[in-house]
Structures are given as C-alpha cells and as structure tokens.
C-alpha cells in the first residue's frame, strides 16, 4: 500500500485537501519534540465512555482553517470497538451522543489507542478527517490482526464549544503536576477535577486535562560514583582498568553465540555480543555490585546480572538462558456483585519467562489510567458508583509479549435495590406415565426455579481477590402442592420466591478414558500431569479421575505413556466450572517405530505416509547436527522416532494436541489451522540419552496447501506443554530449487532447532471464525426444560475436496466445549465469500455415550433440526447416516456459511459471526440451533424437591431432598429378578421412615423396565434405584428410608435374599410385608454389596455414582462392571409375573403408547399409532442388542484405578 511522506500524512489531518486521504493518521502527540517551550497545548481526557454509536458514512469536506488557527480541544471520545469490520469513531455519531461537546466543523483530529499509543505509531492502516471522523478497517490490517481500539478528540474553533455555566457542578482544578520530561525536553503536565453533581448524567465533561511543558535547562551532571569516573552521558560509572569476562550458554550447556549484552542505564546501552563460543569481554565497567547487565537472545528470556563487587582488575560471570515463554494467565478476575458505595478487588496473575512486569486493567475495553487507579496485578475500586459496573479484564506484559485475562463482570446495584429477581422463572418437570394433567394437556408440571447467578449479598470489610462468602440467587421460599395422578396424589415443592444467599459448594471433576486412536488400545497405568505435577494415573482400562483445583480456568493435562507405545499427548479439556463431572475420550497417537540414523550424514525423514499420496513435508537433518544435552557434538548412531499426525487422515483429528491456539503480540488468543503435527524423539543408540538437533530444515510441499492464501502465512510452531499454547518457532520461505525433485513442485523451507521441546506444528493463523449454537436434550421432545448440561460437544473443521461440500480432503482443527444451561457455542472456521470453503463435523457425548443427532433422511424436518429454511439448505445439513442407513446416527456435517449481516433469516443463528459471541451465548431456546438428544431409556426419576443432576448448584436445602449433601452423592440400587415371558416395569416408592421431619412423606419415585436375560428366554432383571438411608441435609440424625418395590403387573413375590432378610431382621424396625405383590423395607444404613443384592456407590458427581452402581448391579458383583444384565447373580428380590390377558395393557405399555406431546386429538381412543409409538419397538431392540451404549462409561470408572 502507498504511504505518503510523513509531512504529507500530517497535513492530511490538519489541512484537508479536497478528496479522500488514505494515509495513516499521525497524531499530534508524536510531535512533542517539535513544539517550542513557550507554547502549550491542552490534552483532556474523560474517564467516562460513551455507549456504542451508530456507524455512519460521509464525504470529505473542503480544506479547513489554517494550521495555526487558535482553538480548543474536546474531550476524548470512544463510541465503537474494533469488532465486526473495524473501529469507527465517526463525527456524526459522536454528534448524536454528545451534541454540544463537539463543534459542527472541527479544525483538526487527534487519534490514539486506548493503550495511549498514538495512531501513527501502531503500524496499522487507518483513515481520518476532521469533518468525517476516524476509522480503521480490519480487512486492511496484517493477517491475524484486527484494528486496535481507538479514541479520538477534535480541535474546535474558539468559543464553539458550550461552556459549563454551572460552575457548582465541578470542583476547582488541581494544581498542575510536575513536568513529565527530563531537563531540556518537552513533556506533559496534568491536572484533575471532580464532578460534584448527584446526577451522573451531568458529569460528561473532562475530569483530567494535560498540557505540554518544557523543563528548565539541564544543570551540570550530579551523578556521583563510589568508584571510577562518570561517563560523558552522565548515566554510568566507568573504571578504565577493569575488564569483565562472561560465558553464556543455552539450556543444557551449549554455547549461546550472538547474544547481545547491555548495561542498564536510563536507556539500555549496547556493550557487545557473544562470540561462537558464547563468550564476551567488556572493559571499562565498574565492579560496584550495583550496575545491572542485561543479556538477550531471540527465543530466550533475557538474563539480568548484577556486576560483581571486587577489588581485582578482572572478573568472570556465567549465565544460562531459559527458553522465553510468553505471559500466561494463571489467575483470572472473578465475577462479583456489589452495592453502590461498597469496595471491590479484582485480581489477575500471570507467569512467563521472564515474569510479567506490567499489568494494565480495562473497563468495557477502555484502559483505566494507571496514574488514577494505581493498579498492578490487583485493581481496587472503592466507593463504587453505578457507572463502574461492566466488564473488566487485565493485560499482563513482559519483554516476550502479552496476555489478556478472561473478562469478569462487575455488577453494581443501588443500596436499596433487590439483588435478585424475587419471581422464579418457569421450569417444567416430567411427571410419571400415569400422571397426565388435563389442565395443561401434558405430562409436565411447572415447579419454577431461580437462575443461579452472582448477587450482591453480605460481605465483611475485607477487600480480597476471592470473596470470603460467594453469594448466588437461589430459592428462598417453596410451597407444597399435590399433583393429582391416576389413583394417587404426588407431592411436590414449587419455588415461590428467590433471594440472594450463600452459593452451594460444588466440586468440578474430570473423568475419562485414554486409548489409541487407531484401535482403541487403552493406555494402561500411564501418568497424568498438570504442569510439572503428577495429578492422576490411568487404570488397567485406561480410565482416570481428576478433581479440578478450585481456581483453575484452563485445564491443561499431559498424558505420558510409561511403556512408550504412544506419543505423549497434551490436551486442553473443558470442564463444568459450576461443578459435576465431565467425561472425555482421550485419543493418543501411536509412536512410530524408531529407525537408525548416522549423525555424520545428512538424513531425510518424510512427514506423512498416506497411501497413494506424497508426504506433506520432509525433515532434513544436515550432518554433524546432533549434540548432547551438555552441548558436546554427537557423532555416533542415532535412534530416531518421528511420528506425524497427518490431517489428510480424518480419523486422527481427535488425537490432535492441545486446542490449537496461540497468543498474539496484543495478548489475544487466536486459532490455528494445522497442516500437520510431528513429534520427534532422538536418542543415543547406546545410552538412550536424549539428543538435541540444530539447523534442522523443514521442506513443505506447497501442493498440499489447497488454500493459496495460507501459503504466505505458514509458520513453524512448538507446543508449550505447561500452557497448552503453541509458540512460534519460525517462518517459511519459498525455496528456489530442490535437488532431485520434479520441476512442477514448489517447496517452502523453514528452519528450526530441536532442544527441550519435541512437538511441532505446521500451521497458519486463521481469522475466519464463527460460532455454532448447539443444544442437547433428554428426548426428541426438545423442550427447553429438558436441556442437558455437561455434554461434551466437539467439532472437526474439515476442508472439502474441490466441488464437494461433504467429501473432506483434510481436517484442520479439533475443538470441544461443554453445554451449560443455555447450550453451547462451538468455535469453527467459516467463510462469507465461499460457503463451502470449510465444513464442520459435529458430535456430542455424555459420560462416554454418544448422543443422537436429528435425522436428515428420509425425513428432512427443519422444525426438528432446529434451523428454518432457507438458511438450512445453505448450510447443507447432513446426518452421518444420510447416504448410508447402516452408519452411526451420532453426528452431523454442515457447510460453514458465515451469516450475511444484512440477511434477516441468517441473523438469528445457528451460525454466529465471531464478534457476536455474546449474542450466541444469550440466544433464547426459540432461536435457531442444532440439536442432539438422548435416546429415551426405560427409566424415570421423580423428586419431590426438584433437582437437576447436571447442575449441582440447583440443589436446595430441604429435608425431602433426594440427595442430602451437594458435595457427596450416594447412589443405591437393588436388583430385582422377574420370572416371566415379559419385561416388566418396576417402581420404587421412597418415603421418610424414621426421621421426625420426613416420616410418611415422599422423597421421590423411580421407574425402570426389566432387561431380558440373553441366555434365558423367560427371565429378566431390573436394577432399581432407591433413596439411600443416612443423614439428611442438617446432619442432625439419620433417616431409614421406607422403600416399597412394586412390579407393575400381575406379579407375586417368590423369594427374598436370605442375607438381606437377616440384615433387616437384625436392624430394627422391620417393615411389614403382608402384600406379596410388592416388597417393603427400611433401607439399610450400611453399603451391603452384591451378596445382599444391594449396590451402593458414593461420589462427588450424582451421575457418576449412579453409572458405577448400575454397572456393578448389571454384573452382580461389588467391584466389577458389565453392560449385559446377569440375572442369576447378586439378586435381592425375585418376582413371578404371569402374562396379562390379551387386551389388557400394562403400565409400561401405557407409557410407550402415550404420545410425547399429547394434544386433545391424541387422547381419543382408537387413534392410529404415532411415529413415535411405531418406533418404540425399535428402541427396545436397541436397548437389548446394544446395551453397551446404554451404560457406557460404567466399566471404565472403578472407584480406585
């Protein structure tokens, strides 16, 4: 792009010529040195920020008044942010919001970033005009970079700005501060004032002003030296007869050649560079024990050394570099709520090499002035006002880069304002099959709920990073109601009022199974690391369990195979921060068999071995490139294992390392699109010592890059296993010629060294990003109240073959997210020009079981899919069995067509532009989204006190709560054997038995259908949940739950487990069992085990506790697990159930024949079966033939690995 000379760019803003000026804006602040000392210029800034304004367009005006026109500057304005197409600070929009605060025809314009950087110093392409305003377009910036957030002010003619006649609104200006510059140089003085008005809207004028100043002439040097003499610049002491020698090495001991040595004075001064042996010599420094040296080298953290203190004429210092690491946020600010007048502390902490030495805080994307708030890693706001509410984040900086924290929302309410909405929102629970409600014409009842969110509750006087007490909105008042069912009433408790109360304590848990990506072989007894600490270990079946530390924001785990069958794998695993367990399938790449290399010869190693395809790239290792950890050259035989993850093989996508993200220079996280990852392992063949390699070349075949725009952006990256982030190793350049190669192929070459890091990536930053809105449901009814949380939704970004939207050539990225109460927003690549440039393959799983996607063939129902036409056709939705009915139904594929901004039918989801993440996260259930659902099993749960097992924070303190403690969930099951030709529905009715607060009151009911034995035609069995006996929520005394087991049909009890009966007789009271069609007991307090037919498991996640107990019950053992029902072992009760007469309908048949969404017409007898009724038998076949899907995850999760 053409850039006019510097003075021309300056005149484009100050003396407009007719027509547009396309030069970068040069702000006045960059010309401080050109201003004479007697002249002052006013600089004003308001700490208030305008609301986003309307983007407008206009034309450039005729030339303005002369450059030396007198005038007055406005306050600074920031009405837009750089999302969308860019940052627009347009004059007409500023007029709309701030009217009298800016003149109609400004004379000049000044622009800077919210980080106080002049626009002309950013290196970005920007545009401006005093009569148009200022704008910056994202598409004109460097790849992977958006516009910065800019703020502007205008110079107006004298008297054109309305003066504040109400002087009583403001305090007097403070005295001018000391001039910021050194003697003899221009600087800035500032002064401040305070708004005294009670109404915040009257305080829109500047609270701070600045002016140019010139400090007095410099006097004679006042530096004194304890030894030696002052140098000519008066900034250091020099000792002519002293010589400093230095030796600098790389990690492991190799010499650090080409390192630069500085002495730190007012400005760092270059002294020398190290030679090829890593040595340097500097004469003339003083060994005073105070002077600081700084040694730098690319890709390594700077070294700071203090001069030794000695009386000798020479001294030697030694130093070793550490690899540089960009700042990484380890503590994010927390969301908090306060009342006006209170104080709050927001904290941020980052690590890195070197450690970050500067922290900046932002409020609603605008930098908070460090001189006003005196913040570092901790931001304290006292005497809060309402306008200080909003979003806050910090930015940590060091010599190696920057990193931004997550955004924390601060809520500020009035002193007398209610912290929570007292009215509960609607929440439907499903009723039993024999409890149809005529009033609502459904099987659902509205019990209400209070949405869990942070609220302004009672706090002590301490100002802490973590509040001593965290407060959340929750249920404070309930009302007991009776629901009329067929022949009985069902009690329930309905939420009537919400208030601010102490949050429920929860524990986040991650479980998973680690296995090979090629054949599913488990990684047995492997280690799991979090940073440098071992936090877990896999069991025989590859399973692991990890309790996530409380302050964890980003869970980075490295899985290490002690048997060295698999490549060490680093994963960034999403987890539920509100508590409960999430299950992940971890896939590992099998390690390539090692080959033998000669260290004294040039070696070529191909990357990629797809059949019928050329390698993606090659590694070229020149002769004499290997060296030991201490830096000594190695000349022997090398045992080399190089494992390449080839993106042309779709099945390897789930084995991708980390989450393919990097942090740019501004601290923002950006995604990468991979063209292949490779893991290297070079060892001494004799001693197995790990070897380093220098001067390695990577030759990338450009024909493998099907998107030409990616070629100039291709880079080499290495993985930081501690942070899970990729860091740049080097660029690629077009290779002029390769020997022994065909003429029609062009290669890119990149250079790298292999030292402490062993995992590398061929990647490009990809800025074409969108979000996919996905929700998971408990059934095909797709009711908002039946949304599931904790579902792992994953996407594989695919690059289709030319001319095909669904036939992928390669994958480029793998991402996973966790569904919350409002679904999930899944990041994916997209394109607004070519809808088929990228496609996405989306799948979902819960506790290791894959959920089902909505069908696309033979029926294509937009209402069921959740996306209206015509956008759905543009997205080309296809379930995985679209063309092959035998294929799995657990995923779908779409073309990633970015929504057009002016298209109404594309503005409501399910695809959202990257800058519209908030709209995606807050989209209501009625907005377009893609759906997964759980195959309805033969189980039903009802709790008198409603509780969502996906969300532990929904737990309510109540004596009738099924789970008495939110941090400890105890699941109990009893095994019931059914003798008879039919499968039978079995119910447990659970009531208070011995506690004075609950005796005779219902806790809940459980229904389950028996599962037929595979080997015996007339035998089935059911694993039936019941409420465990034990302490209630107040931990005052135990309750022996009165459990009634009722097979629904013509059944009579045949036998009771003798050991169970003996236990109940010896642990009085004993329940009466006069009715042989059922069985009643006071549930045992002890975890009895399979010999009694009772199965008990305690866990910090309710779903996990139930799945483990179910697996043991199916297996009939106390420590095993099975997905196949074993009817003859571990049985507690046996019933004989005769077949019903023809024409009589069982209770469970009634449940199957009841439509999911009954309408008045559907309740008429004799109506033809619905599609759902006709398909129910197929569902039974699935349950019998593929029970492994029903209880997936049980076998992999023993209590102790």
């Amino acid at each position: 792009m053409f850039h006019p000379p510097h003075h021309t760019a300056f005149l484009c803003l100050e003396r407009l010529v007719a027509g547009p000026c396309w030069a970068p804006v040069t702000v006045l602040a960059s010309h401080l040195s050109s201003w004479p000392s007697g002249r002052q210029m006013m600089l004003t800034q308001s700490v208030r920020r305008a609301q986003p304004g309307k983007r407008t367009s206009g034309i450039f005006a005729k030339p303005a008044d002369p450059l030396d026109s007198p005038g007055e500057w406005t306050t600074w304005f920031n009405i837009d942010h750089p999302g969308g197409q860019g940052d627009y600070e347009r004059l007409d929009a500023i007029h709309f919001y701030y009217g009298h605060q800016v003149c109609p025809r400004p004379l000049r314009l000044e622009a800077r970033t919210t980080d106080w950087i002049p626009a002309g110093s950013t290196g970005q392409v920007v545009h401006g005009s005093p009569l148009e305003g200022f704008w910056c377009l994202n598409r004109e910036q460097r790849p992977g970079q958006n516009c910065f957030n800019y703020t502007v002010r205008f110079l107006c003619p004298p008297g054109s700005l309305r003066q504040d006649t109400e002087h009583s609104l403001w305090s007097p200006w403070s005295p001018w501060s000391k001039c910021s510059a050194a003697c003899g140089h221009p600087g800035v003085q500032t002064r401040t004032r305070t708004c005294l008005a009670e109404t915040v809207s009257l305080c829109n004028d500047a609270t701070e002003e600045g002016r140019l100043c010139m400090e007095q002439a410099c006097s004679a040097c006042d530096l004194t030296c304890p030894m030696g003499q002052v140098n000519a610049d008066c900034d250091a002491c020099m000792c002519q007869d002293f010589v400093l020698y230095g030796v600098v090495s790389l990690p492991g001991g190799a010499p650090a050649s080409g390192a630069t040595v500085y002495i730190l004075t007012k400005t760092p001064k270059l002294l020398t560079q190290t030679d090829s042996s890593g040595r340097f010599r500097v004469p003339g420094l003083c060994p005073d024990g105070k002077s600081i040296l700084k040694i730098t080298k690319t890709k390594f953290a700077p070294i700071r050394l203090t001069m030794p203190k000695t009386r000798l004429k020479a001294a030697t210092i030694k130093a070793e570099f550490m690899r540089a690491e960009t700042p990484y946020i380890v503590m994010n600010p927390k969301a908090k709520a306060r009342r006006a007048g209170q104080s709050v502390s927001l904290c941020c902490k980052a690590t890195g090499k070197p450690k970050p030495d500067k922290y900046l805080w932002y409020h609603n994307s605008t930098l908070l002035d460090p001189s006003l708030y005196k913040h570092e890693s901790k931001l304290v706001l006292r005497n809060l006002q309402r306008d200080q509410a909003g979003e806050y984040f910090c930015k940590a900086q060091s010599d190696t880069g920057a990193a931004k924290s997550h955004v924390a929302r601060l809520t500020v309410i009035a002193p007398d304002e209610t912290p929570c909405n007292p009215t509960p929102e609607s929440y439907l629970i499903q009723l039993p099959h024999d409890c149809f409600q005529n009033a609502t014409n459904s099987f659902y009842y509205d019990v209400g709920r209070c949405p869990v969110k942070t609220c302004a509750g009672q706090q002590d006087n301490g100002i802490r990073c973590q509040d001593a007490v965290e407060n959340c909105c929750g249920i404070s008042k309930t009302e007991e109601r009776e629901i009329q069912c067929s022949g009985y009433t069902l009690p329930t408790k309905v939420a009537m009022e919400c208030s601010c109360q102490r949050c429920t304590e929860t524990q986040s848990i991650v479980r998973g199974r680690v296995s090979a990506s090629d054949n599913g072989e488990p990684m047995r007894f492997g280690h799991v690391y979090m940073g440098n600490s071992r936090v877990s270990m896999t069991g025989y079946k590859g399973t692991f369990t990890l309790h996530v530390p409380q302050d964890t924001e980003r869970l980075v785990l490295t899985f290490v195979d002690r048997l060295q069958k698999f490549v060490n794998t680093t994963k960034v695993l999403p987890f539920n921060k509100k508590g409960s367990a999430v299950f992940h399938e971890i896939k590992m790449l099998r390690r390539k068999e090692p080959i033998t290399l000669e260290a004294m010869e040039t070696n070529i190693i191909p990357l990629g071995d797809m059949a019928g395809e050329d390698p993606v790239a090659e590694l070229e290792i020149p002769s004499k490139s290997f060296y030991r950890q201490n830096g000594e050259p190695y000349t022997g035989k090398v045992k080399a294992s190089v494992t390449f993850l080839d993106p042309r093989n779709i099945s390897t996508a789930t084995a991708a390392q980390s989450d393919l993200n990097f942090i740019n220079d501004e601290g923002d996280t950006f995604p990468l699109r991979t063209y292949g990852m490779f893991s290297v392992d070079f060892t001494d063949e004799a001693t197995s010592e790990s070897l380093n390699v220098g001067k390695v070349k990577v030759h990338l075949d450009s024909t493998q890059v099907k998107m030409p725009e990616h070629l100039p952006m291709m880079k080499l990256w290495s993985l930081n296993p501690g942070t899970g982030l990729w860091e740049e190793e080097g660029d690629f350049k077009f290779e002029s010629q390769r020997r022994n190669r065909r003429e029609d192929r062009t290669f890119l070459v990149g250079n790298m060294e292999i030292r402490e890091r062993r995992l590398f990536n061929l990647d490009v930053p990809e800025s074409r990003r969108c979000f996919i809105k996905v929700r998971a449901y408990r059934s095909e009814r797709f009711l908002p109240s039946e949304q599931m949380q904790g579902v792992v939704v994953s996407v594989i970004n695919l690059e289709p073959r030319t001319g095909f939207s669904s036939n992928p050539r390669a994958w480029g990225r793998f991402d996973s997210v966790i569904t919350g109460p409002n679904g999930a927003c899944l990041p994916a690549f997209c394109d607004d020009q070519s809808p088929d440039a990228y496609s996405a393959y989306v799948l979902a799983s819960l506790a290791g079981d894959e959920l089902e996607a909505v069908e696309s063939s033979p029926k294509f129902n937009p209402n069921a899919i959740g996306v209206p036409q015509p956008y759905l056709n543009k997205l080309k939705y296809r379930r995985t069995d679209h063309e092959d009915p035998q294929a799995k139904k657990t995923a779908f594929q779409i073309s990633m067509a970015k929504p057009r901004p002016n298209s109404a039918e594309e503005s409501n989801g399910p695809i959202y532009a990257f800058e519209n993440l908030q709209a995606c996260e807050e989209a209501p259930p009625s907005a377009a989204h893609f759906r997964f659902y759980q195959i309805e099993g033969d189980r039903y749960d009802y709790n008198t006190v409603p509780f969502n097992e996906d969300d532990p924070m929904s737990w309510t303190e109540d004596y009738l709560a099924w789970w008495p403690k939110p941090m400890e969930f105890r699941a109990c099951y009893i095994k019931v054997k059914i003798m008879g030709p039919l499968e039978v529905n079995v119910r447990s009715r659970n009531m208070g038995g011995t506690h004075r607060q609950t005796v005779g009151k219902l806790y809940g009911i459980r229904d389950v259908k028996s599962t037929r034995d595979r080997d015996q035609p007339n035998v089935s069995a059911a694993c039936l949940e019941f409420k465990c006996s034990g302490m209630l929520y107040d931990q005052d005394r135990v309750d022996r739950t009165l459990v009634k087991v009722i097979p629904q049909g013509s059944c009579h009890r045949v036998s009771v487990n003798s050991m169970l009966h003996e236990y109940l007789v010896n642990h009085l009271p004993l329940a009466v069992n006069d009715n042989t069609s059922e069985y009643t007991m006071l549930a045992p307090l002890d975890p009895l085990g399979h010999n009694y037919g009772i199965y008990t498991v305690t866990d910090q996640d309710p779903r996990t506790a139930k799945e483990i107990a179910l697996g043991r019950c199916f297996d009939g053992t106390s420590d095993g697990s099975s997905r196949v029902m074993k009817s003859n072992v571990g049985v507690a009760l046996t019933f004989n159930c005769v077949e019903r007469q023809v024409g009589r309908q069982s209770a469970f048949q009634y449940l199957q024949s009841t439509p999911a969404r009954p309408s008045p017409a559907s309740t008429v007898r004799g109506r033809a079966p619905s599609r759902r009724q006709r398909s129910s038998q197929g569902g039974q076949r699935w349950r019998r033939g593929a029970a492994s899907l029903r209880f997936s995850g049980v076998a992999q999760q023993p209590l102790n690995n």
Side-chain angles (χ1 to χ4, degrees), residues 14 39 77 123 282 672 856 975 983 1039:
E14 305 234 7
R39 188 173 178 179
F77 300 107
V282 180
L672 294 170
S856 59
K975 193 167 186 177
E983 295 171 321
D1039 183 27

Side-chain angles (χ1 to χ4, degrees), residues 891-1134:
F892 66 83
Q893 188 168 326
I894 57 173
S895 293
M896 286 303 298
K898 186 176 181 179
R900 295 169 295 178
N902 298 324
S903 175
E905 63 268 14
E906 298 180 12
S907 63
N908 197 32
I911 309 298
Y912 292 84
F914 183 78
E915 58 270 17
N916 294 334
L917 173 60
Q918 185 174 355
C920 178
E921 292 177 334
E922 297 177 356
S926 58
H929 60 276
F930 291 110
R931 295 167 172 170
F932 287 93
Y933 63 93
Q934 197 173 37
I935 299 294
E936 285 193 275
D938 300 329
R939 290 181 290 173
Y940 170 76
D941 298 353
Y942 174 82
N943 298 324
T944 299
V945 179
F947 173 68
N948 184 355
E949 292 179 0
D950 296 335
D951 182 12
M953 295 190 74
S954 66
W955 181 82
T956 305
E957 288 187 353
D958 197 290
Y959 283 108
L960 291 177
W962 184 276
W963 308 97
K965 296 177 65 177
M967 291 284 285
E968 181 180 285
F969 297 91
R970 191 180 183 202
C972 294
Y973 283 80
I974 184 170
K975 193 167 186 177
V976 181
K977 183 177 180 179
I978 303 296
M979 307 292 293
L982 299 178
E983 295 171 321
V984 174
N985 190 42
V986 185
R987 168 173 291 181
S988 72
R989 187 174 178 87
N990 304 267
M991 305 179 72
T994 59
H995 196 285
R996 59 180 179 271
Q997 295 285 349
T998 63
V999 62
K1001 296 181 179 179
L1002 183 70
Y1003 287 112
I1005 60 176
R1006 297 291 187 267
D1007 287 346
V1008 66
K1009 190 177 183 182
S1010 62
T1011 302
R1012 189 177 302 282
D1013 192 293
R1014 289 185 174 183
D1015 301 324
Q1016 302 178 72
N1018 293 320
V1019 176
S1020 63
C1023 289
L1024 179 65
E1025 184 185 8
F1026 63 89
K1027 186 186 181 305
C1028 307
S1029 294
M1031 290 283 188
L1032 300 187
Y1033 88 92
D1034 61 358
Q1035 300 297 299
D1036 180 41
R1037 56 176 295 181
V1038 300
D1039 183 27
R1040 293 279 300 279
T1041 309
L1042 184 65
V1043 180
K1044 184 170 291 189
V1045 179
I1046 312 169
Q1048 297 186 357
S1050 298
C1051 302
H1052 67 276
R1053 188 173 66 250
V1054 175
S1055 64
V1056 178
N1057 183 295
S1058 59
M1059 295 181 67
L1060 174 62
H1061 180 72
E1062 182 180 356
Y1063 175 91
L1064 296 176
V1065 168
N1066 292 330
H1067 294 78
L1068 300 176
L1070 184 66
V1072 177
N1073 276 286
D1074 294 336
N1075 188 346
T1076 59
S1077 65
E1078 59 188 34
Y1079 182 76
T1080 305
M1081 68 174 180
L1082 285 166
L1085 283 168
D1086 302 306
L1088 299 183
H1090 70 285
N1091 290 329
Y1092 300 79
I1094 302 293
Y1095 304 85
T1096 305
V1097 172
T1098 302
D1099 195 87
Q1100 290 182 308
D1101 175 64
R1103 189 166 52 230
T1104 302
K1106 294 169 72 169
E1107 292 291 344
I1108 296 175
L1110 270 172
R1112 294 177 180 178
C1113 181
F1114 265 57
D1115 194 52
T1117 63
S1118 295
D1119 54 2
S1121 185
S1122 175
R1123 299 181 182 185
V1124 177
M1125 179 64 77
K1126 300 177 182 178
S1127 303
N1128 292 327
V1129 290
V1131 175
L1133 304 172
T1134 302

